[in-house]
Amino acid sequence: MIRMTATNRHSSSFRDPSGYVEVSGGKVYRHINPVYFDQYQAIKKAGFFEKLFEKKLLIPHKEISANANAIVLEAEQVPFVTYPYEWSFAQYKHAALHTLKLQKYCLQNGFSLKDATAFNITFHNGAPVFIDTLSIENYTDGEPWRAYKQFLMHFLGPLVLAKYFGNDMLKLLHQYIDGLSLQKVVELLPFKARFSTILYTSLYLTAKYEGKYSADKNKAKGGGKAAISKNAQLKIIDALYDYIKGLNINEKTEWNNYYAVTNYDKAAFDHKKELVKSWVDKIKADKIIDHGGNDGTFSRVLTAKASLILTTDIDANAINQNYTQVLKNKEQNIIPVVCDLMNPPAGIGFNNKERQSLKDRLISSQFDVSLALALIHHISLTGNVPFLMSAEYFAQLSKYLIIEFPDRDDSWVSFLLDSKREFRGHFDYYNLENFEKDYKEYFSIVEKTVIQGTSRTLYLFERNQ
């Protein structure tokens, strides 16, 4: 049997008494404690796990050992786990719909979800998937959905706030790891929101009950739970599903149409694509990070060459477009991630490791190459980050780096320098010579080429040993 040690138990796996997750030898194991044996055996005997795998509702697993102390499962490997505050609106919405789909299917087969946190969902093979096997329990007739309020706090609340106030509302779980207070949600929503039947019953009434129960909990009987039939629960789930499916967001962002206003002509654009493709092929890269990848245009040049491409961008609408293309093209190896490179998601939760920082996850995933196309001038001139500091950052993430340097007479660079006004002279260091000198502290130049028809140079760097 696999034995847990302090070094391989996953830092996020401690809340559920039913078991825990361990990562060892590059594999993911789920240890089931005796308290969950009966539930697990009931689900297994009913053949329900296989049904969930077939419908792609739950991450697949296989049982590898069992004794009186523990049952050990080996779970299918998810190449990279993303968190709710790294999703675009469509990703978040589809994660919510997936959770409702799973709960409905569970109810129809005599089971239920005891947990509906958004952290139980990640994106794998181009779609959302539920990854917490031990969140499924036997359904008791008449018992309300135990995780209903949690679903509202983790999914409906953030999505509705995003509908009214923009994409940034989807980042709130980075601050509120246990979900948003429903009382706070309804306080923030505009008055007209209460005229929505689904919002009034799901958010306003639940928040009202939550406040009343909290203030007078000693008078509550039976834990405040009332019996509710399975059919009634299915109707609630269907109503939530239809409402969330119809949610949209209308927010203009700076970079969501970046390639429509780029200063590349077609020949330069094609030249850059061919360079990137040939260099990735040359170094035989299998796992790629595309920093500032916008809608994934350059990631898609490489889909036939890589098993995993993580495309990050600060612009949530650009990531939304990328995710839409992933669905349309049925791409299984691109994972779009909302990320501000100047302020990437930090570790949160207990010991700041319950949900790992994006940087820690990138480093542990051991990517082969990082792409930083049309990015360094924003890092250096908008973010004021010295070349040495950005070089040090990229050197931590991958062995190779493909980076594009726009020189001072590039139109975007000229615009950014002009915006510095009286401090423009401070940025005289921004030139090709200084860029190469500082980056050589961490990298060696393998190849460099001027992109035809532009003032931009593309570099293939290899990290110094």
Side-chain angles (χ1 to χ4, degrees), residues 296-315:
T297 294
F298 281 87
S299 294
R300 285 188 171 80
V301 174
L302 308 172
T303 51
K305 300 178 178 294
S307 66
L308 173 63
I309 305 173
L310 199 72
T311 309
T312 75
D313 202 276
I314 187 174
D315 194 295

Side-chain angles (χ1 to χ4, degrees), residues 83-137:
Y83 298 141
Y85 40 80
E86 298 164 344
W87 300 339
S88 70
F89 187 80
Q91 287 175 299
Y92 213 114
K93 184 167 86 166
H94 290 170
L97 296 176
H98 186 91
T99 303
L100 290 174
K101 250 189 251 183
L102 175 57
Q103 172 60 6
K104 181 175 181 178
Y105 192 64
C106 283
L107 272 179
Q108 290 170 332
N109 287 271
F111 300 99
S112 185
L113 290 179
K114 65 179 182 181
D115 292 308
T117 166
F119 293 102
N120 279 346
I121 296 282
T122 196
F123 286 81
H124 180 46
N125 292 333
V129 66
F130 197 85
I131 58 174
D132 189 0
T133 305
L134 308 191
S135 285
I136 301 170
E137 64 180 0

Side-chain angles (χ1 to χ4, degrees), residues 161 176 180-189 207 210:
L161 289 178
Y176 301 101
L180 307 188
S181 160
L182 297 185
Q183 293 183 60
K184 294 291 185 185
V185 171
V186 299
E187 286 172 7
L188 289 170
L189 287 175
E210 178 185 50

Side-chain angles (χ1 to χ4, degrees), residues 39 103 106-114 136-146 225-231 233:
Q39 298 276 17
Q103 172 60 6
C106 283
L107 272 179
Q108 290 170 332
N109 287 271
F111 300 99
S112 185
L113 290 179
K114 65 179 182 181
I136 301 170
E137 64 180 0
N138 291 319
Y139 168 71
T140 301
D141 192 44
E143 184 177 1
W145 182 17
R146 200 200 306 196
K225 292 181 180 179
I228 179 170
S229 70
K230 181 187 290 189
N231 284 339
Q233 290 190 53

Side-chain angles (χ1 to χ4, degrees), residues 143-322:
E143 184 177 1
W145 182 17
R146 200 200 306 196
Y148 173 68
K149 180 182 165 186
Q150 189 179 48
F151 178 85
L152 303 180
M153 295 170 69
H154 279 253
F155 286 110
L156 185 61
L159 282 167
V160 173
L161 289 178
K163 166 186 165 65
Y164 286 106
F165 303 114
N167 286 292
D168 282 350
M169 296 294 104
L170 300 180
K171 299 177 182 177
L172 286 172
L173 286 194
H174 192 261
Q175 177 66 31
Y176 301 101
I177 192 171
D178 292 319
L180 307 188
S181 160
L182 297 185
Q183 293 183 60
K184 294 291 185 185
V185 171
V186 299
E187 286 172 7
L188 289 170
L189 287 175
F191 183 79
K192 63 182 179 181
R194 68 184 59 235
F195 295 112
S196 162
T197 302
I198 193 71
L199 294 186
Y200 186 76
T201 56
S202 297
L203 296 181
Y204 287 91
L205 291 184
T206 305
K208 182 178 179 181
Y209 172 79
E210 178 185 50
K212 180 180 179 182
Y213 178 66
S214 176
D216 196 20
K217 61 182 178 182
N218 292 328
K219 294 182 181 180
K221 296 181 180 179
K225 292 181 180 179
I228 179 170
S229 70
K230 181 187 290 189
N231 284 339
Q233 290 190 53
L234 291 172
K235 288 179 181 178
I236 292 171
I237 291 170
D238 285 342
L240 280 169
Y241 189 96
D242 290 342
Y243 178 83
I244 292 173
K245 185 178 180 181
L247 279 176
N248 288 301
I249 189 170
N250 184 20
E251 180 184 33
K252 292 184 179 179
T253 50
E254 186 175 4
W255 304 109
N256 63 311
N257 289 309
Y258 175 76
Y259 291 116
V261 296
T262 182
N263 53 8
Y264 286 103
D265 60 27
K266 186 178 184 305
F269 204 62
D270 290 343
H271 185 215
K272 181 175 166 182
K273 281 184 177 180
E274 286 305 313
L275 283 171
V276 170
K277 188 191 300 184
S278 65
W279 288 354
V280 166
D281 190 51
K282 177 177 182 176
I283 62 178
K284 296 179 171 56
D286 182 58
K287 296 172 70 176
I288 300 166
I289 318 169
D290 186 1
H291 301 277
N294 202 263
D295 62 4
T297 294
F298 281 87
S299 294
R300 285 188 171 80
V301 174
L302 308 172
T303 51
K305 300 178 178 294
S307 66
L308 173 63
I309 305 173
L310 199 72
T311 309
T312 75
D313 202 276
I314 187 174
D315 194 295
N317 281 351
I319 291 297
N320 216 54
Q321 291 177 24
N322 190 357

